[in-house]
Amino acid sequence: MTDTIQSEIHAILQAAIRAAISAGELSIPDVPDIPFSPTKTPEHGDFATPVALGLAKQAKLPPRKIADTIVAHIEVAAHPQIRQIDIAGPGFINIHLSDEWLYATLRTIVAEGDAYGTCDKGAGQRVQVEFVSANPTGPLNIVSGRAAAVGDTLVNLLNAVGYQAIREFYVNDAGGQVERLGTSIDVRYRQALGETGLQIPEGGYEGEYLREFAQAIADAEGDTYLQLGAAERVSLFRDRGIAHILAQQEASLERFGVQFDVWTSEKAIRDSGKPEEILQLFRDKQYLYEAEDATWFRMSAFGDDKDCVVIRRDGEYTYFVPDAAYHRDKFDRGFHQVINFFGPDHQGHVSRLHNFVKALGLPDDWLEISIIQQVNFVNAEGHREDMSKRRGKFLTLDALVDELAGAIGERFAVDVARYFFLMRANNTHLDFNLELAITEANENPVFYIQYAFARCWSILQKTAEHGITPRRIDKVSLELLTEPMAHELIRKLSEFPALVLFSAEAREVHRIAHYLHELAGLFHPYYNQHRVLDAAHQERTQARLVLTRAVQTVLKNGLALLGISALEKRM
RNA sequence: GCGCCUAUAGCUCAAUCGGAUAGAGCAACGGAUUUCUAAUCCGUAGGUUGCAGGUUCGAUUCCUGCUAGGCGUGCCA
């Protein structure tokens, strides 16, 4: 549990502004939001805030004057971690921290270990994250892999900052698509038994995996199912197909390091009576009307450009009904916040689902939907292939991991795939460069980070060989860490808890990935220029060992959030 | 047509929700190796942030309009 220096500074600034207001020196109604951030250059101190700039208009004073007033209410001497506060440029307040702050950071990291970076901001609130939710009609594709990595990591982040988040997979095991799965398997089954002139029906699934699945049934059980009526056979193959594909998807996810806490069946939702309840609710609220032999929902009343059908001409529900019921169900389960990750092919559904949630009378900000954008696979020749599942041609997650594993081994394959999926913002298209992914060199960020970890580990392993016994941190002279590089490293380490919190709340998992790369990018140069283990300088060695341990801890904690292994040795 | 996303160095991308001089990696060029694991490091070079306006102390970030690319727009889920 980390109490960040940021929250301390925030409190100090807040108190100073409040004091200035009550002293009548600032005529503003209340303490505003105080934006502040680590600085980019050391000249500007360690943290800086432009809060005075923002208040200028409201307080009717020049920004520098406001900054003066605020700073006058901070007693620097009372805060040992603050060395100096000055005002620069148009009115920035720059806070220079003392070296004591750096040492305190190291002590915190060493003391907290695995817990460094966590906090209790979420206050135990329950959050549900639904992701992947691929149809049980085929293997997981690349975008599902990306969604799996992102969703899994977001849950890790949310749990790290004190929420109780769970992973949930919605199984679309009812409706037209799985019917067509049944008919597709039926065709393949009969073909396997030698029947000719059959074709996969329009909208069916042509993938090779169904041919294999049907062949296996034919091999093991022969033509027994031909005696059934067509409808019965299709329905049987549908259910077996769903079970088979679902098991396959689960295995792929497990291989990828993702385990879902809850699998919710659409069929179960349909059978629960909830669809009828919400339809009645919609009817009572006059959201429904009949036209063209179907039942429509007034989506236009919510700002959409057209209404949509909820009960088809043939009496079947469209997917909107179970989907709305599913979200009602999520709400009834008591989640404080629900986050859905949808694939790029579902973007038309985003505003509609929001509207249904509104129509159900649920709070607008309760549901959050992010689109996981397309993944372009850049192959060895540099060609792009798009991953559209509907066109029948797609690369599966397993195929990707297989491909990587062939080059760099199974464990690294998963690490690299996860990192590559996590290094871009969710809503941007992602180019997956396979050539780069299998490179065991510095241009591969995963190896770069893992190598930094391995170096830390190795140093800590070799202390005895060099006649050094690591001491407890309170017996170490941390002030011997004099190099600017060491300071920069510790500063970076200190940012980790705030970053974890920010990433979780902004749902921006890629920031962790970038951070780790930057941290490794500070450690490697330090390692090259400053030898840690040096029997001739025992005291300094002790101090550098603490720094090494701290770097190792943060790398380990960060990688754990991303679900990437921290390996001690080269494979 | 309408909607969503994207556009930043030659390439792939960052930039902590509007802050100070826009940062990394790759590729290019020049260096470091009897190492605490070279999976590394040091240096050089690289920019009118797609275009045009607007908002303001201040814009890669917000607004409007263009341009280009991707995706979506079913009585499929």
Side-chain angles (χ1 to χ4, degrees):
Chain A
M1 216 60 85
T2 309
D3 191 23
T4 62
I5 185 80
Q6 278 93 335
S7 58
E8 265 179 64
I9 293 176
H10 189 264
I12 291 168
L13 288 169
Q14 212 166 29
I17 294 174
R18 190 170 294 127
I21 294 173
S22 25
E25 296 163 4
L26 267 184
S27 50
I28 52 172
D30 203 0
V31 180
D33 283 339
I34 305 173
F36 73 97
S37 51
T39 56
K40 284 171 188 157
T41 126
E43 294 162 43
H44 299 147
D46 296 291
F47 290 94
T49 174
V51 67
L53 298 170
L55 290 175
K57 187 164 278 183
Q58 209 184 351
K60 298 196 175 73
L61 286 171
R64 285 196 71 111
K65 176 86 182 94
I66 297 172
D68 277 332
T69 306
I70 295 171
V71 172
H73 284 278
I74 302 173
E75 196 178 342
V76 174
H79 305 285
Q81 300 208 6
I82 297 179
R83 179 161 56 84
Q84 179 193 336
I85 298 180
D86 49 40
I87 296 159
F92 288 98
I93 298 175
N94 292 337
I95 299 165
H96 301 257
L97 297 174
S98 65
D99 289 349
E100 177 48 37
W101 165 59
L102 299 174
Y103 311 144
T105 298
L106 290 176
R107 282 193 287 269
T108 302
I109 296 170
V110 169
E112 295 186 355
D114 290 350
Y116 181 69
T118 64
C119 68
D120 57 4
K121 183 79 187 308
Q125 284 176 341
R126 295 177 62 220
V127 178
Q128 187 244 26
V129 184
E130 183 207 329
F131 55 106
V132 183
S133 295
N135 288 333
T137 52
L140 296 178
N141 64 11
I142 295 290
V143 178
S144 290
R146 183 179 184 185
V150 171
D152 190 49
T153 300
L154 180 62
V155 172
N156 287 342
L157 283 168
L158 289 168
N159 286 330
V161 299
Y163 292 92
Q164 279 188 288
I166 64 143
R167 301 165 175 83
E168 183 153 331
F169 190 121
Y170 183 51
V171 183
N172 299 119
D173 54 359
Q177 300 206 14
V178 288
E179 285 310 314
R180 285 190 287 281
L181 173 71
T183 54
S184 302
I185 296 171
D186 184 46
V187 166
R188 294 302 187 208
Y189 173 71
R190 285 150 64 196
Q191 283 176 337
L193 293 170
E195 204 170 324
T196 54
L198 294 172
Q199 273 197 331
I200 297 289
E202 181 73 24
Y205 299 91
E206 314 220 15
E208 203 53 33
Y209 56 94
L210 287 188
R211 206 189 289 270
E212 288 163 18
F213 178 61
Q215 185 69 51
I217 294 176
D219 288 349
E221 299 165 68
D223 61 1
T224 49
Y225 298 114
L226 290 182
Q227 290 149 27
L228 299 174
E232 199 180 342
R233 200 170 59 235
V234 165
S235 149
L236 180 112
F237 284 153
R238 177 198 63 204
D239 291 345
R240 284 186 59 168
I242 291 171
H244 171 72
I245 290 171
L246 211 51
Q248 239 178 19
Q249 290 180 344
E250 194 172 356
S252 303
L253 288 165
E254 177 133 10
R255 177 188 189 191
F256 202 54
V258 180
Q259 275 185 297
F260 281 87
D261 303 297
V262 178
W263 298 71
T264 297
S265 148
E266 177 186 347
K267 189 166 180 304
I269 293 285
R270 284 184 189 247
D271 294 344
S272 70
K274 274 204 159 98
E276 290 70 29
E277 278 173 41
I278 63 147
L279 281 173
Q280 190 55 51
L281 177 79
F282 289 163
R283 208 156 268 153
D284 293 345
K285 289 189 175 178
Q286 315 272 311
Y287 292 147
L288 302 185
Y289 64 92
E290 314 289 325
E292 301 168 46
D293 299 325
T295 302
W296 295 70
F297 181 88
R298 287 185 210 282
M299 201 55 88
S300 50
F302 293 86
D304 207 300
D305 54 351
K306 45 188 146 182
D307 293 337
C308 60
V309 170
V310 289
I311 304 176
R312 298 192 317 221
R313 193 171 295 144
D314 62 7
E316 293 287 326
Y317 296 149
T318 60
Y319 71 98
F320 295 118
V321 177
D323 237 32
Y326 176 40
H327 283 81
R328 174 78 228 181
D329 179 70
K330 290 185 185 184
F331 188 81
D332 292 342
R333 278 188 275 154
F335 291 109
H336 177 261
Q337 174 92 64
V338 161
I339 302 169
N340 289 359
F341 285 110
F342 283 176
D345 51 340
H346 280 60
Q347 58 181 255
H349 192 32
V350 173
S351 66
R352 294 202 197 106
L353 187 53
H354 268 121
N355 290 340
F356 277 117
V357 163
K358 256 184 262 176
L360 287 167
L362 305 183
D364 201 29
D365 55 358
W366 170 76
L367 171 68
E368 221 179 274
I369 305 174
S370 296
I371 295 289
I372 299 282
Q373 285 289 356
Q374 182 135 359
V375 177
N376 295 308
F377 177 58
V378 185
N379 62 19
E381 288 79 42
H383 293 137
R384 283 186 185 183
E385 263 181 273
D386 76 86
M387 296 298 137
S388 174
K389 193 164 161 183
R390 293 293 158 80
R391 285 172 206 157
K393 192 178 183 185
F394 58 90
L395 185 72
T396 66
L397 174 60
D398 277 328
L400 173 69
V401 178
D402 285 344
E403 181 109 21
L404 295 173
I408 55 177
E410 175 76 17
R411 191 168 181 187
F412 277 133
V414 172
D415 286 343
V416 167
R418 286 187 68 120
Y419 189 90
F420 275 57
F421 284 142
L422 293 170
M423 66 184 184
R424 301 285 172 250
N426 307 333
N427 60 349
T428 62
H429 298 219
L430 183 149
D431 278 343
F432 199 107
N433 185 333
L434 192 57
E435 230 172 53
L436 177 57
I438 59 172
T439 307
E440 294 175 50
N442 55 355
E443 60 259 44
N444 186 330
V446 184
F447 286 87
Y448 189 78
I449 297 165
Q450 288 182 327
Y451 186 39
F453 177 84
R455 280 181 150 174
C456 291
W457 184 86
S458 179
I459 291 169
L460 295 167
Q461 282 303 299
K462 297 211 162 167
T463 48
E465 280 179 31
H466 289 80
I468 290 155
T469 312
R471 284 191 224 124
R472 289 169 41 127
I473 189 167
D474 51 346
K475 309 273 189 224
V476 174
S477 308
L478 296 173
E479 65 277 9
L480 294 174
L481 295 169
T482 52
E483 313 84 13
M485 259 184 186
H487 286 205
E488 222 183 316
L489 254 177
I490 301 170
R491 242 182 78 142
K492 194 77 186 170
L493 295 173
S494 77
E495 290 170 18
F496 184 63
L499 179 78
V500 172
L501 180 60
F502 179 84
S503 305
E505 297 197 323
R507 327 296 189 218
E508 292 185 357
V509 297
H510 69 284
R511 287 176 190 272
I512 304 290
H514 283 280
Y515 171 85
L516 293 175
H517 192 242
E518 287 162 13
L519 178 57
L522 290 176
F523 181 71
H524 283 305
Y526 183 83
Y527 176 95
N528 265 275
Q529 287 174 40
H530 306 290
R531 202 187 157 81
V532 174
L533 300 177
D534 184 353
H537 295 88
Q538 289 277 345
E539 291 298 321
R540 197 182 66 190
T541 294
Q542 293 292 341
R544 290 182 177 175
L545 276 172
V546 169
L547 177 58
T548 304
R549 180 176 297 283
V551 171
Q552 186 200 28
T553 300
V554 174
L555 286 172
K556 181 176 170 223
N557 294 357
L559 286 170
L561 287 169
L562 303 184
I564 294 173
S565 43
L567 299 177
E568 294 88 17
K569 294 185 187 200
R570 188 164 192 173
M571 38 178 180

